[in-house]
Amino acid sequence: MDMKQEIKKELTGHIIPFWKSLRDDTYGGYYGFMDYDLKLDRRAVKGCILNSRILCFFSNAAMILKDEALLDEARHSYEFLVTRFLDTKHGGVYWSVNYDGTPDDTMKHTYSNSFAIYALASYYDATGDHEALDIALSIFYIIEKHMRDAAGYLEAFDRDFSPVRNEALSENGVMATRTMNTILHVMEAYTELYRVSKDPDVKARLEEILSIMKGKIWNPEKKRQEVFFDREYHSLLDLYSFGHDIESSWLIDLTASVLSNPDQGPLEVHFGEKAGQKSDWMQIMDPLTFEMREQVLRCAFDGRSIPVECEKGVVKQDRVWWVQCEGINGYVTGYLKDKTKTYYLKTAEKLWEFTRDYMVDSRAGSEWFWYTDENGIPAHDPIVEPWKCPYHNGRMCLLVLNNL
């Protein structure tokens, strides 16, 4: 099996054409919902997360595949983001807009604002459009001014940044004041912003975030990240998110890599070889990301796939599309850090085999299933919705093609 060639074929022959087909040339952006039976709802709301991630995807795909035709998709997505999601009065971006671009949910969430930063930074990298970088930096300062406290990042706010309940990022019966998921993706967004801007304020915040990840989110006794927190970082639930831990392993590595070498390209991972030695942050975070990879292998990987999570000792057996993708990313990156660990590459190959055989939907006009059971039988969940977009699978394909 040539994993890299199969993944390239999946990306260029399936994922990219599918998302290009969802372009809305009447109202802008991309359509926001397709059900399991492949019925497209052209009047569904358009989420900021979905549209930001599409902008990230096409921008990075254009650069890594060296396909300038994809910049047209990125420009289309960029124009919709900056004309429809940006709040010109209060700053930041809305959670969602209606199909015609009018505001739907004007909540300001740290998570969705972070993805807007990531998208705008990637678009700037692809096009050199300084307006995109200026907007990304303006949202960075909005987050730093309105969406955090002295201890770190908070979650949900109304349009003028008064705090509201964190319904959007709380799950499993808890209401979280802070979440690992939001902090993780603030880190990811700031990493991309620092890579393209070299801004010292962004660098300072990235170093603070790594300290939070190591000192507050990571549980050294259980060798996992905690997920939901109160304001004082007390964990609210006995939950082990296998998917987020393996995703965090490589995103933390990428952040440490960019702090050492901000001149690297998009989704390009280096671990000290350009400078001849590891940076201080690489040395600090390496033991943590090593344990993340090893613990997921011990506790979750069944030889071909990874279940989504374990709550109070009970494993939820769903095989979710994004968890398999992040597993591939995590173990490919682990192999690149230390090529003597060939079992990491073999793990990535097994995860790809499961994904190829069970997650990819071969029906004409479809993309990937949301999740399957442990035997690969798909659930009848939407193919496209506000959280289901080409971020995880597209990014996995691009990372593999760019680094293996």
Side-chain angles (χ1 to χ4, degrees), residues 92-163:
V93 292
Y94 303 132
W95 183 257
S96 61
V97 299
N98 294 306
Y99 73 95
D100 60 359
T102 56
D104 171 50
D105 187 342
T106 59
M107 175 180 66
K108 306 290 176 60
H109 203 288
T110 310
Y111 189 99
S112 54
N113 275 268
S114 296
F115 270 101
I117 290 173
Y118 186 5
L120 292 162
S122 295
Y123 182 74
Y124 165 72
D125 195 26
T127 65
D129 186 338
H130 280 273
E131 178 190 60
L133 180 59
D134 291 343
I135 297 170
L137 285 166
S138 75
I139 299 174
F140 164 77
Y141 287 112
I142 284 284
I143 291 176
E144 292 301 313
K145 180 177 180 180
H146 295 294
M147 308 180 83
R148 59 164 296 158
D149 60 13
Y153 295 90
L154 301 169
E155 301 278 325
F157 302 83
D158 67 13
R159 184 178 178 184
D160 66 0
F161 298 102
S162 298

Side-chain angles (χ1 to χ4, degrees), residues 205-216:
R205 295 286 73 77
L206 271 177
E207 292 177 330
E208 178 192 32
I209 290 169
L210 287 179
S211 295
I212 292 171
M213 298 292 282
K214 186 175 188 295
K216 301 292 186 181

Side-chain angles (χ1 to χ4, degrees), residues 219 224 226-230 233-239:
N219 185 329
R224 73 183 195 196
E226 299 301 329
V227 180
F228 301 115
F229 302 88
D230 64 14
Y233 289 101
H234 299 126
S235 179
L236 300 177
L237 183 66
D238 177 12
L239 182 66

